[in-house]
Amino acid sequence: MRWLVTGAGGMLGHDVVEELTRRGETVVGLDRAALDITGPQAVDSAVREHRPDVVVNCAAYTAVDDAETDEARALQINGDGPRLLARACAAHDARLIHISTDYVFSGEARTTPYPEDHPTGPRTAYGRTKLAGERAVLEELPGASAVLRTAWLYGVHGSNFVRTMIGLEARRDTLDVVDDQRGQPTWSADVAERIADLGPRLGPEAHGVFHATDSGEATWCDLAREVFSLIGADPDRVRPTSSAAFPRPAPRPAYSALAHRRWQEIGLPLPRDWRSALHEALPRIRKEGLPRETP
């Protein structure tokens, strides 16, 4: 199969290109400099030139707080861009996998994971723009597209919570970390594997919304303590605190765990537990993902 990955310079995009290459697939990765997905002609030309069977859209405006005052720009990238990609895919007989987020849900008054068909209700500008992108893709390319919602991503490439915790452990005696937000820490390499597995199946029998997170639940404090423990540090140095201690322009979901029924429906196993993924990921992050010291 031929694959085209947008947003290939980001953490997830990089892992998708790496996973597809490892599997021997033909893949072209385009970062933001190579393809601005808000440009109609550029998008159509890229799909026409590379003739992919599957496009994976990892390009996104992800500055959650900035989007509160920059919603128009966020909507261009998160809403209009996916629509343009879907139209280009329809015109050139390609399928589309689009990456979305847990922020399309309200994150309130919930104690069990959100199923894929649960009503949406974003509380932030970022969530609204990502929901617009979901709807655009499913409207423009019904039957040949999939929306993959993910959350709490960490990985080897780019800045993320796990890398930050590793760095802070070496510089701080104690850390105060939020303990009243629950979600699913997710290794970006696991999401890349899901994307590679879904691509060949994508079509009449496998399309629509999927949740691509690792399973189980944790708070940010739980995750930080697990990181400390795995690198040989005392997890009690991580102290629980509330979201009120770190006020942000965009409210964070109190609960954003996602259910995974759709994977079983198309014959794929449920995602593994987040702790198992972190145990495997951490040595790679420490080896490859931390900044090199200047001699």
Side-chain angles (χ1 to χ4, degrees):
M1 293 179 62
R2 297 184 303 275
W3 298 72
L4 175 64
V5 180
T6 67
M11 177 172 59
L12 179 57
H14 190 287
D15 281 354
V16 172
V17 172
E18 188 174 84
E19 176 64 22
L20 293 171
T21 301
R22 186 186 67 80
R23 297 188 184 201
E25 299 287 270
T26 299
V27 55
V28 173
L30 301 177
D31 62 13
R32 181 170 54 187
L35 177 62
D36 176 359
I37 66 167
T38 66
Q41 292 184 341
V43 167
D44 188 79
S45 295
V47 177
R48 184 177 66 249
E49 175 186 350
H50 295 292
R51 299 181 297 109
D53 298 298
V54 180
V55 174
V56 183
N57 181 35
C58 297
Y61 183 114
T62 58
V64 174
D65 290 322
D66 291 348
E68 292 298 305
T69 55
D70 192 21
E71 188 166 355
R73 178 57 179 163
L75 184 60
Q76 278 187 310
I77 299 170
N78 293 342
D80 300 340
R83 185 177 296 279
L84 293 174
L85 282 167
R87 286 177 177 173
C89 287
H92 301 291
D93 196 27
R95 290 161 280 172
L96 175 61
I97 297 175
H98 172 64
I99 307 304
S100 191
T101 174
D102 58 319
Y103 276 78
V104 299
F105 297 118
S106 71
E108 296 181 310
R110 191 82 187 166
T111 57
T112 57
Y114 285 96
E116 293 88 345
D117 59 355
H118 191 278
T120 53
R123 298 173 58 228
T124 64
Y126 170 70
R128 290 190 293 271
T129 64
K130 291 298 288 183
L131 181 58
E134 286 191 11
R135 290 172 172 170
V137 166
L138 297 175
E139 289 170 4
E140 297 285 347
L141 201 62
S145 63
V147 168
L148 266 62
R149 295 176 181 144
T150 192
W152 289 38
L153 282 182
Y154 66 87
V156 172
H157 311 285
S159 61
N160 57 77
F161 183 85
V162 169
R163 289 182 64 186
T164 298
M165 291 302 103
I166 295 171
L168 289 177
E169 186 279 327
R171 302 195 299 272
R172 304 268 187 90
D173 291 333
T174 61
L175 289 177
D176 293 334
V177 180
V178 169
D179 198 38
D180 58 0
Q181 298 172 21
R182 297 190 67 80
Q184 293 161 314
T186 299
W187 187 16
S188 54
D190 282 354
V191 181
E193 288 188 10
R194 288 279 152 171
I195 290 168
D197 289 341
L198 177 60
R201 293 171 168 82
L202 188 57
E205 302 303 318
H207 63 276
V209 177
F210 294 80
H211 287 164
T213 53
D214 288 326
S215 65
E217 296 180 16
T219 68
W220 291 112
C221 186
D222 294 333
L223 176 55
R225 285 176 167 171
E226 191 73 11
V227 170
F228 270 47
S229 179
L230 289 174
I231 63 177
D234 182 1
D236 288 337
R237 289 167 55 197
V238 179
R239 306 181 304 190
T241 190
S242 71
S243 300
F246 298 98
R248 309 290 290 273
R252 268 47 178 178
Y255 186 88
S256 60
L258 305 178
H260 304 109
R261 173 180 53 85
R262 292 295 314 282
W263 297 113
Q264 288 183 306
E265 291 179 350
I266 65 169
L268 290 173
L270 292 173
R272 61 175 162 173
D273 182 77
W274 70 267
R275 286 183 177 86
S276 173
L278 182 65
H279 281 229
E280 184 180 339
L282 209 56
R284 281 190 56 188
I285 294 172
R286 296 186 76 186
K287 179 182 178 182
E288 305 174 34
L290 297 181
R292 302 292 191 269
E293 292 187 6
T294 302

Short mmCIF file of all heavy atoms in Angstrom, two decimals, residues 16-38:
data_model
loop_
_atom_site.label_atom_id
_atom_site.label_comp_id
_atom_site.label_asym_id
_atom_site.label_seq_id
_atom_site.Cartn_x
_atom_site.Cartn_y
_atom_site.Cartn_z
N VAL A 16 4.26 7.26 13.15
CA VAL A 16 3.49 6.60 12.09
C VAL A 16 4.40 6.29 10.90
O VAL A 16 4.38 5.18 10.36
CB VAL A 16 2.29 7.47 11.65
CG1 VAL A 16 1.62 6.87 10.42
CG2 VAL A 16 1.28 7.60 12.79
N VAL A 17 5.19 7.27 10.49
CA VAL A 17 6.12 7.04 9.38
C VAL A 17 7.09 5.92 9.73
O VAL A 17 7.37 5.03 8.91
CB VAL A 17 6.88 8.33 9.03
CG1 VAL A 17 7.99 8.05 8.02
CG2 VAL A 17 5.92 9.38 8.47
N GLU A 18 7.60 5.93 10.95
CA GLU A 18 8.55 4.92 11.39
C GLU A 18 7.92 3.53 11.40
O GLU A 18 8.53 2.54 10.95
CB GLU A 18 9.05 5.27 12.80
CG GLU A 18 10.19 4.41 13.30
CD GLU A 18 10.71 4.91 14.62
OE1 GLU A 18 10.11 4.55 15.68
OE2 GLU A 18 11.70 5.68 14.63
N GLU A 19 6.69 3.41 11.90
CA GLU A 19 6.01 2.11 11.96
C GLU A 19 5.70 1.58 10.56
O GLU A 19 5.91 0.39 10.28
CB GLU A 19 4.72 2.23 12.77
CG GLU A 19 3.87 0.96 12.83
CD GLU A 19 4.57 -0.19 13.53
OE1 GLU A 19 5.50 0.04 14.32
OE2 GLU A 19 4.16 -1.35 13.29
N LEU A 20 5.21 2.44 9.69
CA LEU A 20 4.90 1.99 8.33
C LEU A 20 6.16 1.58 7.58
O LEU A 20 6.18 0.58 6.85
CB LEU A 20 4.17 3.11 7.57
CG LEU A 20 2.77 3.44 8.08
CD1 LEU A 20 2.24 4.70 7.40
CD2 LEU A 20 1.81 2.27 7.85
N THR A 21 7.24 2.31 7.77
CA THR A 21 8.51 1.97 7.15
C THR A 21 9.01 0.62 7.66
O THR A 21 9.50 -0.22 6.90
CB THR A 21 9.56 3.06 7.43
OG1 THR A 21 9.08 4.31 6.91
CG2 THR A 21 10.89 2.73 6.78
N ARG A 22 8.87 0.40 8.97
CA ARG A 22 9.28 -0.88 9.58
C ARG A 22 8.52 -2.05 8.97
O ARG A 22 9.07 -3.16 8.80
CB ARG A 22 9.05 -0.83 11.08
CG ARG A 22 9.56 -2.05 11.84
CD ARG A 22 9.17 -2.00 13.31
NE ARG A 22 7.74 -2.13 13.50
CZ ARG A 22 7.08 -3.29 13.48
NH1 ARG A 22 7.74 -4.42 13.25
NH2 ARG A 22 5.78 -3.33 13.68
N ARG A 23 7.26 -1.83 8.59
CA ARG A 23 6.44 -2.88 8.00
C ARG A 23 6.67 -3.04 6.50
O ARG A 23 6.02 -3.87 5.86
CB ARG A 23 4.96 -2.60 8.27
CG ARG A 23 4.58 -2.61 9.73
CD ARG A 23 3.08 -2.52 9.92
NE ARG A 23 2.71 -2.45 11.32
CZ ARG A 23 1.50 -2.76 11.79
NH1 ARG A 23 0.54 -3.16 10.96
NH2 ARG A 23 1.24 -2.67 13.08
N GLY A 24 7.56 -2.23 5.93
CA GLY A 24 7.85 -2.35 4.51
C GLY A 24 6.86 -1.65 3.61
O GLY A 24 6.84 -1.89 2.39
N GLU A 25 6.05 -0.75 4.18
CA GLU A 25 5.07 -0.01 3.37
C GLU A 25 5.76 1.13 2.62
O GLU A 25 6.84 1.61 3.00
CB GLU A 25 3.98 0.56 4.27
CG GLU A 25 3.18 -0.47 5.04
CD GLU A 25 2.23 -1.24 4.15
OE1 GLU A 25 1.08 -0.80 3.99
OE2 GLU A 25 2.64 -2.29 3.62
N THR A 26 5.12 1.58 1.55
CA THR A 26 5.58 2.76 0.83
C THR A 26 4.94 3.98 1.47
O THR A 26 3.71 4.12 1.45
CB THR A 26 5.18 2.68 -0.65
OG1 THR A 26 5.78 1.52 -1.23
CG2 THR A 26 5.63 3.92 -1.40
N VAL A 27 5.76 4.84 2.07
CA VAL A 27 5.20 5.96 2.84
C VAL A 27 5.94 7.25 2.54
O VAL A 27 7.16 7.27 2.42
CB VAL A 27 5.23 5.65 4.36
CG1 VAL A 27 6.64 5.30 4.82
CG2 VAL A 27 4.68 6.81 5.17
N VAL A 28 5.16 8.32 2.39
CA VAL A 28 5.69 9.67 2.26
C VAL A 28 5.21 10.47 3.46
O VAL A 28 4.01 10.54 3.73
CB VAL A 28 5.21 10.34 0.96
CG1 VAL A 28 5.65 11.81 0.92
CG2 VAL A 28 5.73 9.59 -0.25
N GLY A 29 6.15 11.06 4.20
CA GLY A 29 5.80 11.89 5.33
C GLY A 29 6.04 13.35 5.01
O GLY A 29 7.14 13.72 4.58
N LEU A 30 5.04 14.18 5.20
CA LEU A 30 5.15 15.61 4.92
C LEU A 30 4.94 16.39 6.22
O LEU A 30 3.91 16.26 6.87
CB LEU A 30 4.10 16.04 3.89
CG LEU A 30 4.16 15.35 2.52
CD1 LEU A 30 3.02 15.84 1.64
CD2 LEU A 30 5.50 15.58 1.85
N ASP A 31 5.94 17.19 6.59
CA ASP A 31 5.78 18.03 7.77
C ASP A 31 5.08 19.33 7.39
O ASP A 31 4.68 19.53 6.23
CB ASP A 31 7.12 18.28 8.45
CG ASP A 31 8.11 19.04 7.57
OD1 ASP A 31 7.70 19.59 6.52
OD2 ASP A 31 9.30 19.07 7.93
N ARG A 32 4.93 20.22 8.36
CA ARG A 32 4.18 21.46 8.12
C ARG A 32 4.82 22.32 7.03
O ARG A 32 4.12 22.96 6.25
CB ARG A 32 4.09 22.25 9.43
CG ARG A 32 3.30 23.54 9.32
CD ARG A 32 3.05 24.13 10.69
NE ARG A 32 4.29 24.30 11.45
CZ ARG A 32 4.32 24.67 12.73
NH1 ARG A 32 3.19 24.87 13.40
NH2 ARG A 32 5.48 24.82 13.36
N ALA A 33 6.16 22.31 6.98
CA ALA A 33 6.84 23.11 5.95
C ALA A 33 6.58 22.55 4.55
O ALA A 33 6.52 23.30 3.57
CB ALA A 33 8.34 23.15 6.23
N ALA A 34 6.42 21.24 4.45
CA ALA A 34 6.21 20.61 3.15
C ALA A 34 4.75 20.66 2.70
O ALA A 34 4.48 20.66 1.49
CB ALA A 34 6.68 19.16 3.19
N LEU A 35 3.82 20.70 3.66
CA LEU A 35 2.40 20.76 3.29
C LEU A 35 1.61 21.49 4.36
O LEU A 35 1.50 21.02 5.50
CB LEU A 35 1.82 19.35 3.11
CG LEU A 35 0.31 19.32 2.80
CD1 LEU A 35 0.01 20.03 1.48
CD2 LEU A 35 -0.22 17.89 2.79
N ASP A 36 1.03 22.62 3.97
CA ASP A 36 0.09 23.35 4.80
C ASP A 36 -1.30 22.85 4.45
O ASP A 36 -1.80 23.10 3.34
CB ASP A 36 0.21 24.85 4.53
CG ASP A 36 -0.82 25.68 5.30
OD1 ASP A 36 -1.64 25.10 6.03
OD2 ASP A 36 -0.79 26.92 5.15
N ILE A 37 -1.94 22.11 5.36
CA ILE A 37 -3.21 21.47 5.01
C ILE A 37 -4.36 22.46 4.89
O ILE A 37 -5.47 22.06 4.53
CB ILE A 37 -3.59 20.36 6.02
CG1 ILE A 37 -3.87 20.95 7.42
CG2 ILE A 37 -2.52 19.29 6.07
CD1 ILE A 37 -4.54 19.97 8.35
N THR A 38 -4.11 23.75 5.15
CA THR A 38 -5.17 24.75 4.97
C THR A 38 -5.16 25.34 3.56
O THR A 38 -6.01 26.17 3.24
CB THR A 38 -5.04 25.89 5.98
OG1 THR A 38 -3.85 26.64 5.74
CG2 THR A 38 -5.00 25.36 7.40
#
